[in-house]
Amino acid sequence: SFEGLPTKREAVQINDMVRTALSDESQAVRDEALQAAMSFDVETCNMIYQYAITSCDDQMRLAVLKNAEYGDDDFRLRLQMAALDVGGEEVVRVASEGIKKDTGMTFSSSQEAFDWYEKHRTEPDK
């Protein structure tokens, strides 16, 4: 049953509110927004995480990287690769450590990492 689920328009509005809250001045609001993102379906949560990595501050980026540790390995790796160019020293360190752990590789930029990824990723079984 779809009863009680938000309409597409409501889902877009909720998604926009969560994205806005990720950059709020209040840490409590930001924490709630991150919790809300985790309650969405995987695709929506991943889109919100991608937004946070590229558009939020380093504290939120670190929280997203930490939360992504419990999700899809491939998505986490791509988030870490994206974080190489957008974050401060701590974000880059955490992302680099995660990439090294997963691939055994180190990269100096997101472009270098994604170039490697495109050459070495494996397609899921069909």
Side-chain angles (χ1 to χ4, degrees):
S1 167
F2 292 106
E3 186 177 325
L5 293 177
T7 65
K8 286 187 179 193
R9 181 180 176 165
E10 290 169 335
V12 168
Q13 291 171 336
I14 293 166
N15 189 334
D16 289 345
M17 289 186 323
V18 170
R19 287 180 183 214
T20 299
L22 288 171
S23 298
D24 196 89
E25 289 180 16
S26 166
Q27 186 61 46
V29 171
R30 293 158 43 106
D31 291 344
E32 287 293 324
L34 194 57
Q35 290 294 336
M38 293 186 312
S39 69
F40 284 111
D41 61 274
V42 172
E43 182 180 337
T44 302
C45 180
N46 288 352
M47 288 187 322
I48 293 170
Y49 278 11
Q50 288 171 339
Y51 169 82
I53 285 292
T54 60
S55 302
C56 292
D57 67 16
D58 282 359
Q59 188 173 2
M60 184 55 66
R61 288 181 179 114
L62 288 168
V64 166
L65 289 173
K66 182 178 181 181
N67 284 0
E69 289 177 8
Y70 306 103
D72 175 76
D73 293 340
D74 185 64
F75 179 73
R76 181 188 64 244
L77 179 62
R78 289 182 287 132
L79 273 182
Q80 292 165 337
M81 290 177 171
L84 292 176
D85 291 336
V86 296
E89 289 181 27
E90 180 71 6
V91 172
V92 171
R93 183 187 65 74
V94 169
S96 293
E97 288 174 358
I99 293 167
K100 176 88 171 171
K101 180 181 172 189
D102 287 346
T103 68
M105 304 291 295
T106 56
F107 303 102
S108 59
S109 70
S110 292
Q111 184 63 52
E112 181 184 1
F114 282 117
D115 287 347
W116 177 90
Y117 175 84
E118 285 300 315
K119 290 178 185 171
H120 296 90
R121 74 181 178 140
T122 57
E123 292 295 322
D125 295 333
K126 297 188 183 202

